[in-house]
Amino acid sequence: MNLTLMAAADLEWGIGIDGKLPWLVPEDLKRFKARTMGKAVVMGRKTVETLPSTLPGRRILTLTRNPIGFGSHDLGSLLLHLASEPDEVIVAGGGEVYRALLPYCAKAEITRVKAVHDCDTRLLNLSEHGWTLVRSEPLSEVSDLEEWRRT
Ligand SMILES: NC(=O)c1ccc[n+]([C@@H]2O[C@H](COP(=O)([O-])OP(=O)(O)OC[C@H]3O[C@@H](n4cnc5c(N)ncnc54)[C@H](OP(=O)(O)O)[C@@H]3O)[C@@H](O)[C@H]2O)c1
């Protein structure tokens, strides 16, 4: 299993408000597209429902407790599927999915939005859960790109 968590988070690990992103950071959206192209991407049912359309070139695996459609899985069937997946798979949120799959991720790429926004959904503070920040570089005027590894 080769799982990478990708998220944009503010300085207090906020990631969402009212079912949406709290900010618009075009550089992050561009990077997400490039980084996920050609890959399988895991998303929670709620996040999938916010997408304006399917994501061309990406294979979406939807996590749900009611897996009825093609590409939708409960946690057990998703983990079985991921265990036989040789390539990197991206875990792309939202909050519940990050919590469920964090123990299986080896690496996290966080777009750090350098402000505190009003948020009702958060990512766990990785530094308090056995992860270490190994690299940080500017992504845009308002964000840095951070790489975290499990220690
Ligand atoms: N900043 C970012 O990078 C980023 C990325 C993605 C999303 N977001 C934001 O995050 C928010 C949405 O997050 P959320 O936590 O409300 O929802 P979510 O994680 O997108 O989806 C939650 C749904 O996933 C399914 N699920 C979650 N854990 C499960 C488990 N252990 N087993 C089976 N199914 C499970 C359930 O679907 P069923 O109800 O169908 O059973 C649950 O209702 C939005 O504001 C969105 O914009 C932010």
Side-chain angles (χ1 to χ4, degrees):
M1 200 179 299
N2 178 3
L3 286 188
T4 298
L5 185 152
M6 279 186 74
D10 76 4
L11 294 171
E12 295 183 345
W13 298 90
I15 62 162
I17 179 96
D18 295 336
K20 295 180 284 214
L21 292 178
W23 45 72
L24 177 61
V25 180
E27 293 83 355
D28 176 56
L29 300 179
K30 216 178 290 172
R31 182 176 185 276
F32 180 82
K33 182 175 180 185
R35 185 70 179 78
T36 55
M37 194 51 70
K39 297 188 187 295
V41 177
V42 180
M43 289 182 177
R45 193 262 309 160
K46 290 185 185 170
T47 293
V48 169
E49 286 183 354
T50 68
L51 297 177
S53 63
T54 57
L55 299 181
R58 274 62 60 87
R59 186 158 48 92
I60 304 294
L61 304 171
T62 305
L63 185 64
T64 171
R65 294 184 176 87
N66 301 295
I68 41 173
F70 179 76
S72 72
H73 297 267
D74 62 22
L75 187 58
S77 101
L78 179 73
L79 291 174
L80 265 180
H81 183 83
L82 294 175
S84 63
E85 179 84 47
D87 299 325
E88 181 187 37
V89 174
I90 306 293
V91 175
E96 277 193 59
V97 165
Y98 289 139
R99 267 193 300 283
L101 295 182
L102 186 65
Y104 306 95
C105 294
K107 176 179 164 190
E109 295 176 8
I110 306 294
T111 295
R112 179 69 58 193
V113 179
K114 296 185 286 183
V116 175
H117 288 259
D118 194 15
C119 291
D120 59 19
T121 312
R122 276 168 213 289
L123 184 61
L124 291 173
N125 179 338
L126 295 185
S127 65
E128 293 174 356
H129 289 82
W131 288 69
T132 302
L133 176 64
V134 294
R135 200 162 54 96
S136 178
E137 63 192 43
L139 179 66
S140 71
E141 274 186 15
V142 298
S143 65
D144 290 338
L145 177 62
E146 298 178 353
E147 182 181 328
W148 291 72
R149 295 274 175 173
R150 182 185 293 290
T151 38

